[in-house]
């Protein structure tokens, strides 16, 4: 599967650090009853898996990913943290070998933006949900990002991230479309809402975390594709990453980005 | 004074309707004690004036604006609503003829984005604040706006609004800079935070209100300047406004925009 961010160790580090900085922002409102059978689709290196399992100690969590390499890392993390309520396995959502209605709740985070047919994936999750079950979806929207100081190279490199995802046939701006996607796939959303992060120099630790542990590594992960496809001139690209990183230490620095979170039930 | 939105009756209507849709979003957290002397700087046609006076019935509110025409409208609205605790007058912040430290609280909404020297205005308000007083500032950020479906003309017309404001030497993206501006002007912010509005087809009334009572009229108010300066081709401009308006009735429609609100005290 083509994945804009790649599978490097640096990327694994980004995903783990990012998930802790954003834990309260993204997981607020997600609480599964003890005994629930929960499926996490597209668990990657286990960044959200470990949070889900820790915050919901009574659940039986099954976390799947199509990438063997990611699943191995996720499994390692789960062992390392001593989480007993998680089964991690390599699997394709469309070929799961699990009977219908096998899960009480399904959780998908940062996955639909990397798929060519997100609606198809959502429809599949609907089949897997037991009566009364819920689906929780969290996705970003790269069109929502803005910052100051905003240099031309920093804008170009951000644009490079967006274009490299578009180039794979994926949707970097999927957050704003989450509500209609859920409707199209046959769900009835209880809510779809923005979960924005904003940081400025009043909280240098948060600003540095957002900029240098989430944003810059996320943009950098598209480097290979951006440069290979000549989406941005190499010198401008490097300067853009430098300028983005400097947002965190600039006295005028601020950064804004929003994710979208939806909680929904099947419509029949 | 150059003002991107102009002073037409249609614009007055926009400002009044917008203020009611956004009342809870923007005024939450703004509550002045009974007996306070409050100054509103740049009251325009009185859209926020009437809300401030209604939500804080015990205050003595003085609302000023540099435009004689706007002040007349604001005065008319105040009389019409029977608000007894408001004095509206035409005045220049820099030539007020009021002694220093004359106000307990100052309120500024959608004003700094239309000034060439916002820091200078903020410094002036500092002089007018009594010991222990607060300054509340609310500003938009046009770089924060995004929507779906997103056509090329709709993007161009949005860009036209931004460019027409830049062309006047003003800052359409001031929201993200509110924190450093306040610091530079000698304030200590208690908070600066985004106040986002997001609407989709789950709430067609809100979506229509945001798109057709706030966004489209706001963009349209820049029409004269955009077309005169040929910032956008006339046909594209008209199509852009049409496409933006259609966001509200499209099954996939959604709109996101964020304002920034700061509450602050002088730093000494």
């Amino acid at each position: 599967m083509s994945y804009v961010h790649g599978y490097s160790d640096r990327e694994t580090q980004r995903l783990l650090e990012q998930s802790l900085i954003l834990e309260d922002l993204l997981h607020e409102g997600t609480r599964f009853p003890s005994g629930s059978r929960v499926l996490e689709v597209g668990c990657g290196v286990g960044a959200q898996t470990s949070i889900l399992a820790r915050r919901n100690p009574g659940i039986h969590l099954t976390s799947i990913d199509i990438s063997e390499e990611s699943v191995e890392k996720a499994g390692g993390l789960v062992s390392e943290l001593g989480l007993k309520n998680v089964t991690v396995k390599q699997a394709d959502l469309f070929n799961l070998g699990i009977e219908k209605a096998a899960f009480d709740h399904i959780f998908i985070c940062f996955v639909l933006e990397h798929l060519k047919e997100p609606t198809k994936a959502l429809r599949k999750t609907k089949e897997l949900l037991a009566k009364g079950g819920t689906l929780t979806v969290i996705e970003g929207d790269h069109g929502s990002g803005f910052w100051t100081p905003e240099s031309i190279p920093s804008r170009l490199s951000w644009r490079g991230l967006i274009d490299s995802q578009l180039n794979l046939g994926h949707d970097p701006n999927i957050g704003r479309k989450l509500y209609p996607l859920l409707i199209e796939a046959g769900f009835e959303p209880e809510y779809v809402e923005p979960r924005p992060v904003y940081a400025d120099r009043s909280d240098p630790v948060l600003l540095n975390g957002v900029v240098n542990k989430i944003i810059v590594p996320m943009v950098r992960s598209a480097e290979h594709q951006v440069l290979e496809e000549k989406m941005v001139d190499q010198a401008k690209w490097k300067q853009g990453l430098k300028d983005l990183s400097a947002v965190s230490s600039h006295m005028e620095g601020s950064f804004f980005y929003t994710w979208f979170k939806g909680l929904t039930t099947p419509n029949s």
Side-chain angles (χ1 to χ4, degrees), chain A:
Chain A
M1 193 194 116
S2 306
Y3 177 59
V4 65
H5 305 310
Y7 295 101
S8 68
D9 284 348
R10 187 158 64 180
E11 174 60 8
T12 301
Q13 195 55 29
R14 170 181 84 89
L15 292 168
L16 298 180
E17 291 188 334
Q18 163 179 287
S19 63
L20 293 176
I21 296 170
L22 302 178
E23 177 175 333
D24 287 339
L25 182 73
L26 301 182
H27 284 264
E28 197 211 305
T30 296
R31 188 69 68 180
F32 301 121
S34 206
S36 306
R37 298 158 301 167
V38 180
L39 174 68
E40 183 192 12
V41 178
C43 66
V45 299
Q48 306 302 326
T49 312
S50 52
I51 295 174
L52 273 178
R54 170 164 48 75
R55 291 172 75 107
N56 300 276
I59 65 172
H60 307 289
L61 179 61
T62 305
S63 294
I64 62 166
D65 201 281
I66 202 160
S67 156
E68 191 71 69
E69 198 181 336
S70 293
V71 163
E72 203 171 299
K73 286 178 180 167
L77 182 65
V78 162
S79 304
E80 199 185 310
L81 296 174
L83 298 165
K84 302 292 180 205
N85 56 340
V86 189
T87 309
V88 184
K89 61 181 183 185
Q90 190 280 332
D92 179 352
L93 175 65
F94 295 104
N95 199 1
L96 257 192
I98 291 179
E99 77 262 40
K100 291 186 177 188
F103 295 99
D104 302 305
H105 302 285
I106 298 183
F107 180 87
I108 303 183
C109 184
F110 309 157
V111 173
L112 300 180
E113 59 168 319
H114 300 299
L115 301 181
K116 281 187 182 159
E117 301 180 284
T119 313
K120 209 175 134 191
L122 287 174
R123 285 209 187 96
K124 186 68 197 174
T125 65
K126 198 181 160 189
E127 288 178 14
L128 294 169
L129 271 181
K131 205 173 148 60
T134 67
L135 168 69
T136 300
V137 186
I138 302 172
E139 296 290 333
D141 191 307
H142 293 348
S144 76
F146 58 86
W147 57 91
T148 189
E150 187 195 25
S151 67
I152 290 174
S154 67
R155 250 191 281 149
L156 287 173
S157 62
W158 186 256
R159 185 73 227 173
L161 170 69
I162 292 178
D163 287 346
S164 64
Q165 227 165 313
L166 288 172
N167 198 42
L168 296 172
H170 305 161
D171 190 348
N173 297 344
I174 203 166
R176 71 190 73 175
K177 296 166 200 160
L178 192 51
Y179 179 80
L181 272 177
L182 288 165
I183 295 289
E184 199 192 338
F187 287 92
E188 248 171 44
E190 186 173 309
Y191 65 77
V192 172
E193 60 186 29
R195 296 274 175 115
V197 71
Y198 163 72
D200 58 33
R201 291 286 300 181
S202 66
D203 187 342
V205 174
L206 178 64
L207 182 60
N208 183 55
V210 169
V211 169
N212 285 315
K213 295 185 176 169
I214 301 178
I215 296 300
V216 170
M218 180 170 82
V219 177
R220 189 185 283 125
S221 70
E223 178 166 283
H224 181 73
Q225 204 193 144
V226 166
L227 297 183
E228 190 163 274
E229 303 275 339
K230 301 191 195 325
M231 291 170 182
V232 183
D233 163 84
Q234 183 160 12
K236 285 271 197 314
W237 170 261
K238 284 194 185 310
Q239 187 61 45
L241 286 173
K242 221 168 142 180
D243 292 353
L244 276 174
S245 176
V247 164
S248 74
S249 49
H250 199 289
M251 273 318 295
E252 288 187 16
S254 75
F255 207 101
F256 179 95
Y257 185 94
T258 192
W259 290 266
F260 285 83
K261 179 169 184 173
L263 172 63
T264 181
T265 49
N267 66 5
S268 59

